[in-house]
Amino acid sequence: MTVRTRIAPSPTGDPHVGTAYIALFNLCFARQHGGQFVLRIEDTDRQRSTDESEQMILDSLRWLGLDWDEGPDVGGPHGPYRQSERGDIYAEHAERLLESGHAFKCYRTSEELDTLRDTRKAAGLHLALKPQDLALDPDEQQRREVEGYPYVIRMNVPSEGVCEVDDMLRGRIEVDWAQVDAQILMKSDGMPTYHLANVVDDHLMGITHVLRGEEWINSAPKHQLLYEYFGWSMPQLCHMPLLRNPDKSKLSKRKNPTSINYYRRMGFLPQAVTNYLGRMGWSMPDEREKFGLDEMMAHFDIQRVSLGGPVFDLDKLTWLNGVYIREDLDDAALLKALCDWAFNEAYVGQILPQIRPRISTLSDAMPLAGHFFAGLPDVRETSFADIDLERETLLALLQFLVWRLEAVARWDKDELLAQVKLLAEHFELKMKVFLAPVFVAVTGSAHSTSVLDAMAILGSDMTRARLRHAIEVLGGVSKKHAKRLEKQYREL
Ligand code: GLU
């Protein structure tokens, strides 16, 4: 048997370090067994999936050196590798389950589903809805069918008993069937859900081992049942521990930058990031901290993964990155790293129009544009001393901007201007007044190039990181305060 693993990201946002971490372990597992590693794009959520996000995911995994043998960009014998291009395959498989009686059409409206759940809740029962709960009386079912009501296709699930699923790290996992609902497989718009598409694709793509995050454990019983319904053997499952913030909470962008773009933009070296991700719950047999991808592949053993939640610690990663710079990069390599990072024509070229009208000598350039070649600027509370706004308003303004920017799909000056205008109106401030603290937070001083252009050039991750940094410097936003702000923000 040829071992085949995969990473199956959904392109719905920034390329997440968690995706890179899972990709790394799948890649190492495949290589250790002389197998293949596949990249599949799970873009069945058409509302949230974007081409930009897909491209960023491919770019960042490649930047980290996590190359795949088959995927949407390189092709392969099991394509297409993008789920949005495999609609017919899922429809055909859903039809098969309908025919074999393992799935059924459900015409329930969302109001009816709410009522069903409320009734179960009031009776102190599990909220999982079973086929018998969902069944309509036969005449009504027929009426809705004839009248062409919208419907979903759901899978049949047992009502009682215990489902046992084997996990490569956790051994036997037991889940009560009572907790498992009659999962939707096809939505009313004809798109498959994750569960159907994922199982069908893993089978058709010959995946033998599924290494994925532990948040998917609850899906395992449904997947196992689907494999049974289709008469296929199931890949071996391995649920990896989730990455955590230093306070042990689930890694979240509130507490740690989670986008690989951020690390790239900050000037981390890909080999250091990959090495650090390899230390997440895993260690080399000799416990050394610094190792290359080749070494990790050569010594890989999934059983060395420990399940205690691995902590993604920015300070440790920064330390390791420094070790790489000092130990591995000679002058030529360091120069190349700097050029790849920011001292290149493409990047500097964007900054030139910003500085040309504002300098008299070439030596004016760096003081003016230095922040484009920096990480977080050295701003302090006093940097905002001249800003004539209450602290409360200042924090709200910066926090609202961070939230707005998180949702921006197209990162360009026009879009940024539109966001800023909207918020300035909300705060009833003139644009100039609104932008003053943003200027300090983003460029680090009160004198630099245009802040909207700077944000466009710095990109989403660096801009947001600088705004968040300013919020911290100004005393931060407590949990309680954030809740209050969120409420106001929602009313925007
Ligand atoms: N599309 C899922 C994700 O975004 C894949 C989960 C899996 O590996 O089964 O993580």
Side-chain angles (χ1 to χ4, degrees):
M1 173 190 74
T2 307
V3 166
R4 284 172 60 84
T5 63
R6 48 62 167 186
I7 182 75
S10 298
T12 53
D14 293 332
H16 201 280
V17 284
T19 304
Y21 155 67
I22 299 292
L24 171 65
F25 281 74
N26 274 286
L27 173 66
C28 287
F29 187 85
R31 292 290 178 261
Q32 174 209 3
H33 292 94
Q36 290 136 12
F37 172 55
V38 177
L39 186 143
R40 177 174 74 231
I41 293 292
E42 299 210 327
D43 56 351
T44 52
D45 183 342
R46 298 310 293 150
Q47 239 110 56
R48 293 178 59 228
S49 299
T50 64
D51 293 345
E52 291 79 19
S53 171
E54 176 183 320
Q55 195 54 49
M56 286 194 295
I57 292 171
L58 300 192
D59 287 348
S60 41
L61 293 180
R62 212 163 252 130
W63 177 69
L64 291 170
L66 307 176
D67 285 318
W68 45 98
D69 303 298
E70 298 168 30
D73 55 340
V74 294
H78 303 277
Y81 293 92
R82 211 176 268 118
Q83 289 188 329
S84 57
E85 294 165 19
R86 300 172 63 84
D88 293 349
I89 302 176
Y90 309 126
E92 195 187 299
H93 282 83
E95 198 55 42
R96 253 166 82 175
L97 293 178
L98 282 176
E99 276 165 21
S100 58
H102 293 310
F104 61 97
K105 290 184 182 170
C106 175
Y107 285 91
R108 288 287 189 178
T109 63
S110 52
E111 293 78 33
E112 285 173 346
L113 293 176
D114 287 345
T115 315
L116 285 170
R117 283 197 196 97
D118 289 346
T119 322
R120 290 187 69 84
K121 201 171 174 184
L125 295 167
H126 235 290
L127 293 192
L129 293 178
K130 299 289 180 181
Q132 58 273 26
D133 302 315
L134 294 159
L136 284 165
D137 109 8
D139 290 345
E140 181 60 12
Q141 171 88 5
Q142 206 193 3
R143 184 182 74 82
R144 294 190 189 186
E145 235 172 289
V146 173
E147 290 181 13
Y149 265 55
Y151 67 89
V152 298
I153 298 179
R154 292 179 182 267
M155 69 189 282
N156 279 322
V157 282
S159 299
E160 48 194 41
V162 175
C163 171
E164 295 178 344
V165 184
D166 288 326
D167 181 280
M168 286 159 69
L169 290 173
R170 294 158 204 264
R172 185 147 293 183
I173 301 171
E174 296 189 351
V175 182
D176 278 339
W177 276 120
Q179 299 175 17
V180 181
D181 57 356
Q183 176 62 51
I184 298 180
L185 300 176
M186 286 291 246
K187 294 178 269 188
S188 54
D189 63 1
M191 285 302 266
T193 57
Y194 154 73
H195 304 277
L196 178 69
N198 187 273
V199 164
V200 167
D201 285 349
D202 279 345
H203 174 73
L204 295 180
M205 294 182 181
I207 301 302
T208 58
H209 296 78
V210 169
L211 279 59
R212 64 181 170 199
E214 79 182 67
E215 71 266 36
W216 301 103
I217 288 183
N218 286 341
S219 302
K222 299 174 198 174
H223 294 188
Q224 182 162 289
L225 193 55
L226 283 174
Y227 281 99
E228 262 173 56
Y229 286 167
F230 283 120
W232 299 334
S233 61
M234 182 166 78
Q236 287 194 48
L237 299 184
C238 174
H239 292 94
M240 298 284 294
L242 286 184
L243 300 184
R244 308 211 162 255
N245 295 308
D247 67 3
K248 287 280 176 182
S249 56
K250 185 178 153 198
L251 189 69
S252 68
K253 61 180 167 198
R254 286 257 158 110
K255 304 210 171 125
N256 245 325
T258 52
S259 162
I260 300 164
N261 289 340
Y262 171 82
Y263 293 94
R264 193 169 177 177
R265 195 64 198 66
M266 271 307 262
F268 284 88
L269 302 177
Q271 57 272 43
V273 178
T274 304
N275 182 164
Y276 190 63
L277 289 174
R279 297 274 300 133
M280 294 292 97
W282 192 82
S283 56
M284 286 289 256
D286 62 4
E287 304 279 334
R288 90 186 99 125
E289 299 226 39
K290 183 171 172 245
F291 50 85
L293 182 55
D294 287 350
E295 291 170 285
M296 180 166 172
M297 285 174 188
H299 293 97
F300 193 69
D301 175 2
I302 191 75
Q303 293 307 331
R304 291 186 64 81
V305 170
S306 92
L307 291 175
V311 171
F312 189 89
D313 183 337
L314 199 51
D315 291 339
K316 282 214 175 118
L317 169 59
T318 309
W319 166 81
L320 186 65
N321 202 62
V323 174
Y324 270 89
I325 291 183
R326 290 189 298 276
E327 291 181 2
D328 287 24
L329 302 189
D330 60 15
D331 286 354
L334 181 53
L335 180 60
K336 181 168 182 319
L338 282 165
C339 291
D340 288 347
W341 171 63
F343 292 97
N344 53 61
E345 233 175 293
Y347 186 62
V348 177
Q350 294 179 67
I351 299 163
L352 297 182
Q354 301 301 316
I355 57 174
R356 180 175 290 106
R358 296 178 171 88
I359 60 173
S360 316
T361 61
L362 301 181
S363 57
D364 289 338
M366 261 332 220
L368 193 66
H371 80 85
F372 283 108
F373 303 91
L376 301 180
D378 181 20
V379 286
R380 293 148 200 248
E381 229 177 322
T382 48
S383 317
F384 296 87
D386 292 339
I387 308 274
D388 196 16
L389 289 172
E390 297 277 332
R391 170 72 55 107
E392 181 83 353
T393 314
L394 191 55
L395 283 171
L397 179 160
L398 294 171
Q399 183 61 67
F400 280 24
L401 185 58
V402 170
W403 285 335
R404 289 298 304 185
L405 296 182
E406 272 170 12
V408 162
R410 208 186 62 231
W411 191 264
D412 61 27
K413 194 179 166 188
D414 289 345
E415 183 59 36
L416 296 177
L417 182 65
Q419 297 297 338
V420 165
K421 259 197 184 145
L422 190 136
L423 285 179
E425 271 165 33
H426 169 80
F427 283 96
E428 296 179 356
L429 294 174
K430 287 212 179 78
M431 275 290 264
K432 218 174 144 206
V433 181
F434 181 92
L435 279 178
V438 179
F439 196 103
V440 175
V442 171
T443 71
S445 85
H447 310 279
S448 185
T449 56
S450 130
V451 66
L452 285 174
D453 286 292
M455 287 161 73
I457 295 170
L458 288 166
S460 164
D461 294 278
M462 184 56 84
T463 302
R464 285 184 288 134
R466 289 184 181 185
L467 291 169
R468 273 199 303 265
H469 178 58
I471 293 173
E472 287 309 311
V473 163
L474 287 164
V477 173
S478 67
K479 244 191 181 159
K480 215 164 125 202
H481 189 180
K483 276 228 165 86
R484 209 168 60 235
L485 286 179
E486 258 169 51
K487 196 162 166 267
Q488 295 166 10
Y489 181 75
R490 272 199 298 273
E491 286 159 9
L492 212 84

